[in-house]
Amino acid sequence: LMYQGSDRIRGLVTCFWTVIGAYLISLLLSHYESNGEFLASGLASLIFSRATDLVLSDLALVLSTAFVVPFVRVLWIGRWQPRWLDPRHPRSMLFQAAAEIGWLVVWYTWQGTRGWPWSQRCFFSLHTAVNWMKVHSYLSTNRRLACSLRTRDELKERQGSCKEEDETIQTQIRDLDAELCPYSARFPETQTLANYAMFQLCPALVYEIEYPRTSRIRWGYVAEKTAGTAGIFIVFYIVVAHLMIPHLERMHEVGLLLTTVHLMGPMATCWLLFFFITFDSIANGFAELTCFADRRFYDDWWNARGLDDFSRKWNRPVHMFLARHIYMPVRELWKGRRDAAGRGLFRRMQKSMPPSVAAMAATFFFSSILHEVTIVVACHRWNHGLFFFSQMMQIPLILFTERAAWFREQQALRNWSFWLAMVFFQPFLLCMYTYGAFVPKTSDVIDPSGM
């Protein structure tokens, strides 16, 4: 989106990288004059310590997700299907949830026993969460398709028994066939290890039977994105090692608020670098290697006029996952039960709360839980649910911006308030978690034994 020829922001992106490059050169020269070296090496030794163990563990993590293929084939579409595990029955959903939770517990426990430093734990925790989302989407989508397949087979058995119903049954069968074979691939023939491996490599978190594809791999484009990933990682390292860690190490001396102010610029820069390396370099690189045609990994989130607008545009793969597997099911469930008879507080709340608000609250609750668990596992500390509550507090802010007419009309003010919130509260949360994790034990943030 940023590099389209018709997009007016392209020159601004070029200016951003030029200014960042000039500033980093000045920063490295100043560090050389003060310390006799261009780069601070302490963080590098931390990042690459026990690298082999991390790589092998991450490879095992990815390979272990392949259990979903025999899970689906044996339990839901295989020849020896257990009747008590009909995919249409709620117990099938419970069995799926138990399998996913068990997989998460295994890998979070494995991470906790390795004794890795905080950098490796952060990476492994994030990658575990990403792979869990792939596992959940694969199982949930195929369970829905297995339900359609069984319904279709039952309708075929009923076909011909009553001529008056044959036309309705044929229409239903055609609709189910369109769902089972939306393009050229057909369920359940798609349930193979090769199909799942392609989904694992594609930069998507929502499983589909078939994705739009490009005709060839542009190796020059792959080389460009590989070089971009390496370059952005170096810039990321310089910002963290030279502009963030020194302030975090002195936080117990200067205080939380002053450290937050010092980190506003570097943290915002790291946030932008994370965006570029994840969505512009790595995602596009894997998309090109897998001939994945849908390159819409983000929208113009920099023009966001609120936190709800930002959550939809900043990270479209996660947004699509939440919309498919959390928002839409909760909205349909709430809408279906809203007019049901009953009494009590929960029933009154169902009737008074719109389905869209209930679905949004459920989505934010799930996202907050996922973020909090990931951070707790990475830090090996629970900071009283700080990240969870900061996420959930977005709901009343979103409702306020939607209902306050005077504020809703001030588009520039809404964009300013969004950016001020992101620039201040991100370093504040970082300081809170860093303070709770490091300061009680040691002031040395890059100590491998820290946190």
Side-chain angles (χ1 to χ4, degrees):
L1 178 63
M2 284 190 174
Y3 297 100
Q4 295 173 359
S6 60
D7 199 328
R8 296 181 179 180
I9 203 173
R10 182 175 184 177
L12 182 61
V13 176
T14 304
C15 175
F16 168 79
W17 284 115
T18 304
V19 172
I20 288 292
Y23 179 72
L24 291 180
I25 291 174
S26 174
L27 181 66
L28 294 177
L29 288 176
S30 299
H31 191 269
Y32 179 79
E33 293 174 354
S34 303
N35 302 281
E37 60 178 1
F38 285 104
L39 280 175
S41 57
L43 183 60
S45 61
L46 175 70
I47 292 175
F48 294 104
S49 64
R50 306 190 60 183
T52 303
D53 188 19
L54 177 64
V55 171
L56 293 177
S57 297
D58 193 60
L59 178 62
L61 167 75
V62 174
L63 293 177
S64 70
T65 63
F67 84 91
V68 298
V69 179
F71 186 97
V72 172
R73 293 195 64 87
V74 172
L75 297 182
W76 294 337
I77 62 174
R79 294 182 59 186
W80 308 103
Q81 301 172 5
R83 292 186 177 274
W84 56 275
L85 273 182
D86 189 314
R88 294 167 294 186
H89 198 278
R91 72 166 67 95
S92 181
M93 185 185 301
L94 295 176
F95 195 76
Q96 173 189 336
E100 294 178 17
I101 292 173
W103 182 86
L104 273 175
V105 169
V106 167
W107 285 109
Y108 278 152
T109 303
W110 172 264
Q111 185 243 54
T113 61
R114 304 311 297 165
W116 289 329
W118 60 267
S119 55
Q120 276 84 337
R121 293 203 304 268
C122 289
F123 168 79
F124 196 82
S125 298
L126 288 172
H127 205 202
T128 302
V130 168
N131 278 274
W132 171 79
M133 285 188 276
K134 283 181 174 284
V135 165
H136 178 79
S137 184
Y138 186 89
L139 291 178
S140 297
T141 302
N142 282 291
R143 183 169 56 81
R144 174 178 58 81
L145 293 173
C147 293
S148 300
L149 180 64
R150 289 205 178 188
T151 303
R152 172 184 168 275
D153 292 341
E154 291 176 356
L155 289 173
K156 279 197 168 185
E157 292 177 0
R158 288 171 49 194
Q159 195 172 13
S161 59
C162 180
K163 294 183 179 180
E164 296 179 355
E165 296 182 357
D166 278 355
E167 185 176 349
T168 303
I169 291 176
Q170 289 177 0
T171 302
Q172 293 175 345
I173 291 176
R174 284 195 298 269
D175 293 340
L176 291 172
D177 281 335
E179 181 183 359
L180 296 171
C181 185
Y183 303 106
S184 58
R186 183 178 184 84
F187 181 88
E189 286 77 13
T190 55
Q191 299 312 294
T192 62
L193 285 173
N195 176 269
Y196 177 73
M198 183 58 64
F199 169 58
Q200 181 63 246
L201 292 173
C202 285
L205 297 177
V206 174
Y207 175 74
E208 301 287 355
I209 294 179
E210 195 173 7
Y211 294 101
R213 311 301 292 269
T214 58
S215 58
R216 62 185 180 87
I217 300 177
R218 298 172 294 173
W219 292 105
Y221 184 85
V222 175
E224 174 191 339
K225 295 304 176 182
T226 303
T229 301
I232 296 173
F233 179 80
I234 293 174
V235 176
F236 199 99
Y237 177 90
I238 295 173
V239 173
V240 173
H242 292 252
L243 297 177
M244 293 184 64
I245 287 181
H247 291 295
L248 292 173
E249 289 178 337
R250 296 194 302 268
M251 181 167 50
H252 65 292
E253 299 175 357
V254 301
L256 179 66
L257 182 60
L258 188 58
T259 304
T260 300
V261 174
H262 282 305
L263 289 179
M264 286 193 297
M267 187 68 186
T269 304
C270 284
W271 177 46
L272 294 174
L273 292 174
F274 176 81
F275 163 77
F276 276 109
I277 198 172
T278 303
F279 301 111
D280 190 69
S281 295
I282 297 177
N284 276 297
F286 273 95
E288 190 67 29
L289 288 172
T290 57
C291 296
F292 187 78
D294 185 4
R295 306 297 172 89
R296 189 182 169 191
F297 302 119
Y298 57 89
D299 287 327
D300 58 334
W301 58 266
W302 46 89
N303 293 325
R305 291 166 175 81
L307 296 172
D308 56 334
D309 199 20
F310 169 75
S311 63
R312 289 191 296 267
K313 295 180 176 182
W314 150 257
N315 187 343
R316 278 192 55 81
V318 172
H319 168 70
M320 296 303 295
F321 173 87
L322 295 174
R324 166 76 70 86
H325 298 294
I326 306 296
Y327 184 89
M328 295 301 295
V330 172
R331 191 180 70 171
E332 294 302 319
L333 180 64
W334 196 272
K335 186 185 299 182
R337 295 186 176 182
R338 192 179 183 186
D339 298 328
R343 298 179 179 180
L345 177 62
F346 183 71
R347 184 62 64 190
R348 290 197 299 270
M349 185 174 65
Q350 278 188 315
K351 292 185 176 182
S352 61
M353 183 182 296
S356 59
V357 176
M360 180 187 68
T363 304
F364 269 93
F365 180 80
F366 173 82
S367 177
S368 302
I369 290 290
L370 184 61
H371 279 84
E372 184 67 28
V373 169
T374 302
I375 292 177
V376 167
V377 172
C379 298
H380 284 188
R381 285 173 179 267
W382 181 63
N383 203 9
H384 306 289
L386 180 63
F387 206 101
F388 171 82
F389 288 110
S390 66
Q391 287 270 99
M392 293 301 294
M393 283 301 297
Q394 296 180 26
I395 297 178
L397 292 176
I398 291 173
L399 295 177
F400 169 77
T401 57
E402 289 180 350
R403 297 181 180 182
W406 63 272
F407 188 73
R408 187 172 59 249
E409 297 172 357
Q410 303 296 323
Q411 303 298 329
L413 179 60
R414 292 178 63 183
N415 186 245
W416 269 106
S417 62
F418 158 73
W419 274 106
L420 288 174
M422 299 303 292
V423 170
F424 177 78
F425 283 106
Q426 288 202 66
F428 176 74
L429 286 174
L430 173 67
C431 289
M432 289 295 293
Y433 275 92
T434 306
Y435 190 88
F438 291 108
V439 174
K441 297 175 62 176
T442 176
S443 61
D444 188 1
V445 178
I446 64 173
D447 180 9
S449 63
M451 197 166 59

